[in-house]
Amino acid sequence: MGTGLWVNPVLNPASGTVLITMLAVFAGAGVLLLVQGLVGRPVMVGGSQTTGTPRRVLWERYRTWAVIAPLFVVAALCGPLTIALLSGYIGWQGAKEYAGLTSLPTLHQSVMVAGGWLTLLGMLIFGKEVLLVAPLAAFGGVAALALYPAPGEQEIGERFRLAQATLWGYLYLGWLPAHLLGLGLSNLPGLVLLAGTGVALSDVGAFCAGKAIGGPKLAPKLSPNKSWGGVLGSFLGAGLATGLVVLALSLGLEWWQMLLLAATIGLGSIWGDLLESLIKRQRGVKDAGALLPGFGGLLDRIDSLLLVAPLVYYLSLVWK
């Protein structure tokens, strides 16, 4: 099958099972859209009845998933090197969108991206323990950038704001996605697929249950469309994903570990979604970008994964 940083996906015994499972999930989702016409509950807009989520948007999301899901799966199956490349792209594209939301200059955006890439490189060379020291190193680098600016830079108040935004950006889009690589370097590399699948089905569950059940709003000022019914759906979707991946890959986890993983993924998905909403609302925008049809920017799609990956990583360390 291959060892080290690269695994031949053709020889990976998990590839066939993962492929069949992924095709089954996509086929089921496609049939659901075709047969049931899941378009959201009717609402009144301007005196006329319309739907909360048009069918066109749902099919856009379906097609987007059909592209990004195989890319994620292939990266996970090929081992740490491709997981690092995936995490590096998340950091780069995410930094572009984050810089637009926080008005970060090019220099600070570049520092943020470079910090994320150096973290990934350090992990490939020295191991996942780099995650422990990376935030301290980033703090020192950003502090130096703020204390010793180039001639003609901003006043002290603006320099401090930019330093805050840059350090937060590194932690958010450099350090957090690096935990995907941490999962890839662990004794259970299948946890990378579990994190990705869990986020995907948690998102679907939240959407479907939110439309079907509704209920009180979860955080109306941050995300008006999210309800407590969606929270229930998020946990149900995370539970379904955990069961599918653990059984498909024969991870050999105990029932309580599966239950704890499902709860962690469900909670992390909601938490990550609300955190990104907080960043967008301070800018007064609905989407972080327009890269992914039906979703918006990359941040709008991976916001939950950014929290779920480290939560699953540290949870896996606890029960070793």
Side-chain angles (χ1 to χ4, degrees):
M1 182 174 71
T3 59
L5 299 180
W6 166 260
V7 177
N8 187 339
V10 177
L11 302 179
N12 191 332
S15 295
T17 304
V18 170
L19 177 61
I20 293 172
T21 303
M22 184 173 64
L23 290 176
V25 169
F26 271 99
V31 170
L32 183 65
L33 286 175
L34 286 172
V35 175
Q36 296 188 359
L38 185 60
V39 295
R41 293 185 303 177
V43 295
M44 298 303 295
V45 177
S48 60
Q49 182 170 290
T50 183
T51 54
T53 304
R55 187 188 299 269
R56 176 184 58 82
V57 174
L58 292 176
W59 279 110
E60 283 181 348
R61 292 182 180 182
Y62 182 84
R63 290 193 293 270
T64 298
W65 269 121
V67 173
I68 63 176
L71 293 176
F72 184 91
V73 168
V74 169
L77 291 175
C78 289
L81 183 58
T82 49
I83 295 173
L85 292 174
L86 173 65
S87 301
Y89 174 75
I90 288 174
W92 174 72
Q93 176 61 32
K96 290 173 58 178
E97 297 175 4
Y98 174 83
L101 294 172
T102 56
S103 301
L104 271 186
T106 303
L107 173 62
H108 294 73
Q109 177 184 336
S110 300
V111 168
M112 187 172 66
V113 173
W117 288 358
L118 286 174
T119 301
L120 294 169
L121 180 62
M123 292 176 68
L124 290 175
I125 297 174
F126 301 109
K128 56 188 179 181
E129 291 76 14
V130 169
L131 285 170
L132 299 176
V133 299
L136 179 61
F139 181 86
V142 173
L145 182 66
L147 293 174
Y148 302 99
E153 278 202 10
Q154 299 85 358
E155 296 181 354
I156 291 178
E158 179 64 6
R159 281 161 47 188
F160 184 66
R161 184 195 73 82
L162 292 176
Q164 285 180 309
T166 303
L167 180 59
W168 173 270
Y170 161 75
L171 294 174
Y172 189 45
L173 293 161
W175 187 67
L176 290 184
H179 287 80
L180 277 174
L181 178 56
L183 288 173
L185 293 170
S186 70
N187 295 329
L188 285 173
L191 291 179
V192 177
L193 286 171
L194 176 57
T197 306
V199 166
L201 294 190
S202 178
D203 178 71
V204 172
F207 176 83
C208 294
K211 295 296 181 183
I213 301 174
K217 298 300 182 183
L218 176 63
K221 292 186 177 180
L222 288 180
S223 188
N225 293 326
K226 290 181 175 57
S227 66
W228 282 99
V231 171
L232 174 62
S234 178
F235 283 103
L236 291 176
L240 175 61
T242 301
L244 282 174
V245 175
V246 170
L247 293 177
L249 299 183
S250 301
L251 295 183
L253 299 180
E254 300 288 341
W255 68 267
W256 62 267
Q257 292 175 315
M258 295 173 61
L259 185 62
L260 194 55
L261 271 172
T264 299
I265 293 171
L267 177 63
S269 296
I270 299 165
W271 185 9
D273 202 344
L274 291 177
L275 180 59
E276 197 234 353
S277 293
L278 175 64
I279 298 173
K280 291 188 296 184
R281 294 304 172 259
Q282 60 85 30
R283 187 71 175 184
V285 298
K286 181 180 181 295
D287 297 323
L291 179 68
L292 302 177
F295 289 106
L298 181 69
L299 278 180
D300 300 307
R301 184 62 270 136
I302 54 106
D303 52 2
S304 295
L305 183 63
L306 292 175
L307 269 292
V308 167
L311 287 174
V312 171
Y313 173 75
Y314 291 112
L315 181 61
S316 69
L317 294 182
V318 169
W319 67 43
K320 278 189 176 181

